[in-house]
C-alpha cells in the first residue's frame, strides 16, 4: 500500500482525506487517486535517470483521466499514446506535443494524420507497411514524420502472457534484422526522418535481467544504425516496470536504471537522449477503488461478499487473475475466508477469489488497493452499468474528476431507426 493511504482514527485515508467521507458524498463504486502518490512515483523515475539526458513519458493508457494527465504534464512529463483518442486527451490535458510519442501496431490514417498535424515528437513505427503509409500521408499533407523503429528484441519478460510483448512470436515490433533492412529503405522516403529506436517488452516486469538484456540488444541496434550513418537522437526503453500488488519484489526505478546505466551513458555520450514510458509505476499504487458490500451469502460451502463494483469496473482480476489487496475502510475487521464478487452476470465476475478477506457486514466499505493503473481505463458498461466516479485527492482537498455516469449516458448515441 502506498504511504499516501493509511489508517487514521476515522478509518482509511487518502492523504488527509477520510475515504468514507468521499464514499458518503459521491457514492460507490468510486476510484480515488492520490496526487501526492502520482507526483512521488513520477519524480522517483525522473530522478533515477539523473545525469542522463532523458524524458519520462507517461503511458496514458494506464489512467487517462484528464486531471491525472494534467497533473503529469505539470510535473514535466511527456506522454506515450496509442490512439487518436489518447492524442486528443493528451492535447486537452496540456501536454507539449513535442513530448508526445505514439506507439501501436494498428495506427489508422486518421490517427497518423492527427499526429502529423500536432507535430508530435515521434511515431514508434511497428511495421514496414506503417512506415510506407506514414510517408504517403506526410507527403500528402506537406508534413515531416519523425520516426522511431519499435524493435522486438526477442526477450521474454517473465510476466503474465497477456502483457508480454517483447518475445519473437508477438505482434509487436520489428525483428532486429528486419529493422536494419527497413532503415535502409527509409533513405528512399522523402518525408520520414528515422531518428529513434524504441522497445517495450511487457508490463508488470519484476525481474531486472530480461529488461537489461532487451535494452542491451536494442542499444546494439542503435549503435549499428549510427554506424550506418543514421542520426539516432532517441532511444526509448519502453515502460513495464512492475509494482507491488501483494508480495512481489519489484526493482525500483533506480535499480532498473543503474542496471543499464553504462549502456545508456554510452548512448548519451553519442548524443542519444533516453526516453521511457512508464504507466503502471506512476499510477498503479496511487489509486484505489472504493466499493460497498451489498449482500453476504453462503453457497456451496463458500462465503461470498457481494459488492457494488464488478468486473466492468475493475477487470484485472477476471482477465489476468490479478491480485488486488482488499482493505476495510473502517480498520479492525477480522478476516473471513471468502470471495469478493460483483453484480455482473458472469461467474468470472470477481474482485478477489479464495482469499482471507475483511469480515465486512452488509453496507461496509472496502477499498481495492493498487487500482490506479488499468482500473478505470479498462472499465466498461457491460450489463448496462454506468461507469464509476473518479476523485482526485490533494492534501486535505478532493474533487470529483469524472462524474459517475448517468443512465442517459448508457444510451448516448443510440438511435432507433424509422423502420422499426
Ligand atoms: N509502452 C507501450 C508500448 C505499452 O504497450 C505499454 C503498456 C506501456 C508503455 C506502459 O506499460 P506499463 O509501464 O504500464 O507497464 N492492462 C494490463 C497492462 C497492459 C499494458 C499494455 N501496454 C494490466 O492491467 O495489467
Amino acid at each position: 500500500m502506498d504511504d499516501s493511504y493509511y489508517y487514521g482514527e476515522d478509518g482509511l485515508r487518502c492523504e488527509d482525506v477520510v475515504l468514507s467521507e468521499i464514499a458518503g458524498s459521491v457514492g460507490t463504486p468510486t476510484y480515488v487517486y492520490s496526487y501526492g502518490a502520482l507526483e512521488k512515483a513520477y519524480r522517483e523515475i525522473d530522478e533515477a535517470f539523473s545525469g542522463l539526458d532523458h524524458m519520462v513519458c507517461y503511458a496514458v493508457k494506464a489512467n487517462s483521466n484528464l486531471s491525472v494527465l494534467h497533473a503529469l504534464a505539470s510535473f514535466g512529463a511527456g506522454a506515450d499514446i496509442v490512439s487518436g483518442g489518447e492524442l486528443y486527451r493528451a492535447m486537452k490535458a496540456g501536454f507539449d506535443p513535442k513530448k508526445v510519442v505514439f506507439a501501436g501496431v494498428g495506427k489508422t490514417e486518421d490517427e497518423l494524420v492527427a499526429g502529423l498535424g500536432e507535430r508530435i515528437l515521434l511515431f514508434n513505427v511497428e511495421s514496414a507497411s506503417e512506415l510506407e503509409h506514414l510517408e504517403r500521408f506526410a507527403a500528402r499533407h506537406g508534413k515531416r514524420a519523425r520516426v522511431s523503429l519499435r524493435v522486438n528484441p526477442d526477450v521474454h519478460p517473465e510476466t503474465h502472457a497477456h502483457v508480454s510483448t517483447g518475445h519473437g512470436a508477438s505482434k509487436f515490433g520489428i525483428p532486429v534484422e528486419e529493422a536494419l533492412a527497413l532503415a535502409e529503405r527509409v533513405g528512399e522516403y522523402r518525408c520520414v526522418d528515422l531518428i529513434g529506436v524504441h522497445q517495450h517488452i511487457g508490463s508488470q516486469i519484476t525481474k531486472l535481467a530480461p529488461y537489461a538484456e532487451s535494452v542491451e540488444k536494442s542499444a546494439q541496434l542503435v549503435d549499428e544504425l549510427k554506424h550506418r550513418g543514421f542520426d539516432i537522437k532517441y532511444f526509448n526503453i519502453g515502460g513495464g516496470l512492475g509494482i507491488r500488488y501483494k508480495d512481489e519484489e519489484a526493482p525500483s526505478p533506480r535499480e532498473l536504471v543503474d542496471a543499464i546505466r553504462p549502456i545508456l551513458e554510452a548512448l548519451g555520450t553519442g548524443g542519444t537522449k533516453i526516453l521511457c514510458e512508464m504507466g503502471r509505476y506512476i499510477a498503479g499504487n496511487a489509486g484505489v477503488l472504493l466499493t460497498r458490500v451489498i449482500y453476504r451469502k453462503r453457497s456451496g460451502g463458500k462465503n461470498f461478499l457481494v459488492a457494488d463494483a464488478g468486473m466492468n469496473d475493475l477487470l484485472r482480476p477476471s482477465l489476468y487473475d490479478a491480485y488486488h489487496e482488499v482493505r476495510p475502510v473502517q480498520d479492525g475487521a477480522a478476516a473471513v475466508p471468502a470471495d469478493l464478487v460483483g453484480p455482473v452476470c458472469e461467474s468470472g465476475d470477481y474482485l478477489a477469489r479464495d482469499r482471507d478477506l475483511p469480515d465486512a457486514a452488509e453496507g461496509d466499505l472496502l477499498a481495492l488497493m493498487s487500482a490506479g493503473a488499468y482500473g478505470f481505463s479498462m472499465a466498461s458498461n457491460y450489463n448496462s452499468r454506468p461507469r464509476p466516479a473518479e476523485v482526485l485527492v490533494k492534501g486535505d482537498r478532493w474533487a470529483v474528476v469524472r462524474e459517475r455516469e448517468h443512465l442517459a449516458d448508457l444510451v448516448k448515441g443510440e438511435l432507433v431507426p424509422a423502420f422499426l
Side-chain angles (χ1 to χ4, degrees), residues 292-332:
R292 207 176 275 282
V293 174
I294 318 175
Y295 302 117
R296 289 187 61 136
K297 64 186 278 188
R298 256 188 91 74
S299 180
K302 283 183 75 162
N303 298 310
F304 292 92
L305 305 177
V306 184
D308 62 4
M311 65 188 289
N312 71 296
D313 305 302
L314 179 63
L315 183 59
R316 304 192 69 257
S318 303
L319 192 57
Y320 314 117
D321 204 19
Y323 179 99
H324 287 268
E325 193 184 350
V326 180
R327 292 258 178 179
V329 168
Q330 294 307 329
D331 201 6

Side-chain angles (χ1 to χ4, degrees), residues 59 61 80 103 150 163 198 200 203-204 239-241 277-280 316 320 374 378:
K61 65 174 85 62
D80 158 48
R150 176 172 181 179
V163 292
H198 170 235
H200 171 79
S203 197
Q204 184 55 14
L241 191 57
E277 44 189 35
M278 300 298 171
R280 187 191 315 266
R316 304 192 69 257
Y320 314 117
Y374 306 107
M378 292 175 76

Side-chain angles (χ1 to χ4, degrees), residues 18 43 71 96-97 104 116 124 197 216 241 247 264 270 294 298 305 309 325 342 368 376 418:
V18 180
R43 301 231 184 269
D96 179 351
L116 288 168
N124 295 329
V197 168
E216 197 174 332
L241 191 57
D247 49 12
L264 303 185
I294 318 175
R298 256 188 91 74
L305 305 177
E325 193 184 350
L368 283 131
F376 188 93

Side-chain angles (χ1 to χ4, degrees), residues 198-398:
H198 170 235
Q199 65 149 39
H200 171 79
I201 61 166
S203 197
Q204 184 55 14
I205 301 169
T206 53
K207 303 240 166 54
L208 275 181
Y211 209 132
E213 187 189 338
S214 69
V215 166
E216 197 174 332
K217 279 191 168 183
S218 303
Q220 280 166 8
L221 177 67
V222 176
D223 285 340
E224 182 57 34
L225 287 170
K226 283 183 170 178
H227 184 69
R228 296 186 185 196
F230 292 94
D231 184 12
I232 303 299
K233 294 190 173 80
Y234 299 97
F235 175 44
N236 184 339
I237 67 167
L241 191 57
I243 60 169
R244 179 175 292 188
Y245 285 99
K246 189 183 178 190
D247 49 12
E248 300 91 334
E249 290 293 333
S252 67
R254 184 162 297 273
E255 285 167 327
L256 169 66
V257 176
D258 285 351
I260 54 177
R261 189 169 273 275
I263 305 172
L264 303 185
E265 271 171 358
L267 292 174
T269 311
T272 301
K273 182 169 179 154
I274 309 303
L275 308 181
C276 77
E277 44 189 35
M278 300 298 171
R280 187 191 315 266
Y281 194 86
I282 294 173
N285 279 325
V288 302
L289 174 61
L290 288 180
T291 183
R292 207 176 275 282
V293 174
I294 318 175
Y295 302 117
R296 289 187 61 136
K297 64 186 278 188
R298 256 188 91 74
S299 180
K302 283 183 75 162
N303 298 310
F304 292 92
L305 305 177
V306 184
D308 62 4
M311 65 188 289
N312 71 296
D313 305 302
L314 179 63
L315 183 59
R316 304 192 69 257
S318 303
L319 192 57
Y320 314 117
D321 204 19
Y323 179 99
H324 287 268
E325 193 184 350
V326 180
R327 292 258 178 179
V329 168
Q330 294 307 329
D331 201 6
V336 60
D339 285 10
L340 179 64
V341 299
V344 173
C345 298
E346 298 246 3
S347 41
D349 175 30
Y350 66 92
L351 300 168
R353 199 159 57 171
D354 294 328
R355 296 251 295 267
D356 281 333
L357 295 175
D359 195 4
E362 294 181 0
D364 282 358
L365 287 169
L366 297 174
L368 283 131
M369 309 306 293
S370 311
Y374 306 107
F376 188 93
S377 63
M378 292 175 76
S380 77
N381 292 121
Y382 186 41
N383 274 206
S384 282
R385 289 168 49 78
R387 285 178 296 171
E390 293 176 285
V391 162
L392 184 70
V393 174
K394 186 180 182 195
D396 59 2
R397 289 177 291 171
W398 64 272

